[in-house]
């Protein structure tokens, strides 16, 4: 499966009511990295590009608070692979690359 190399974008925000947020961190909640990755992979699947089967790399570079809008940009890098960058408040918050399975897999 090959995703076109031209980048495409999607936006999401993690609601303040998300069950992972209480205690992460009291007084200044931060969205856990695994929740950000889940939202990235859900956006990928919702667009019909397949399911992320392996996280090849990920780098978290800035915190994301609940309700903040995250814009994720996807770009095909090779057959069965996609790179992504997530920006929040104009800053890079997360970047990485994943291997893909077939849609519906």
């Amino acid at each position: 499966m090959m995703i076109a190399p031209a980048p495409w974008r999607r936006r999401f925000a993690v609601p303040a009511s998300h069950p992972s947020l209480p205690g992460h961190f009291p007084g200044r909640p931060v969205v856990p990295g695994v929740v950000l990755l889940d939202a990235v992979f859900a956006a990928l699947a919702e667009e019909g590009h397949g399911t992320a089967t392996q996280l090849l790399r990920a780098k978290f570079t800035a915190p994301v608070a609940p309700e903040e809008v995250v814009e994720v940009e996807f770009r095909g890098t090779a057959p069965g692979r996609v790179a992504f960058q997530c920006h929040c408040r104009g800053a890079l918050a997360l970047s990485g690359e994943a291997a893909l399975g077939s849609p519906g897999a």
Side-chain angles (χ1 to χ4, degrees):
M1 161 181 276
M2 178 65 178
I3 294 179
W8 57 276
R9 292 173 179 80
R10 188 83 188 262
R11 290 177 177 219
F12 68 86
V14 177
S17 62
H18 192 281
S20 71
L21 295 174
H24 199 269
F25 293 94
R28 186 170 185 248
V30 175
V31 178
V34 69
V35 175
L36 293 174
L37 287 170
D38 185 58
V40 167
F41 295 155
L44 189 63
E46 288 168 7
E47 290 290 324
H49 293 290
T51 302
T53 57
Q54 183 180 10
L55 180 61
L56 302 171
R57 64 181 173 80
K59 185 171 185 176
F60 299 89
T61 53
V64 175
E67 306 292 341
E68 288 187 318
V69 174
V70 176
E71 182 173 79
V72 58
E73 179 179 285
F74 296 97
R75 181 178 45 83
T77 57
R81 292 174 73 149
V82 65
F84 55 89
Q85 290 190 331
C86 298
H87 289 86
C88 181
R89 299 175 319 280
L92 180 65
L94 165 63
S95 62
E97 187 174 17
L100 302 175
S102 299

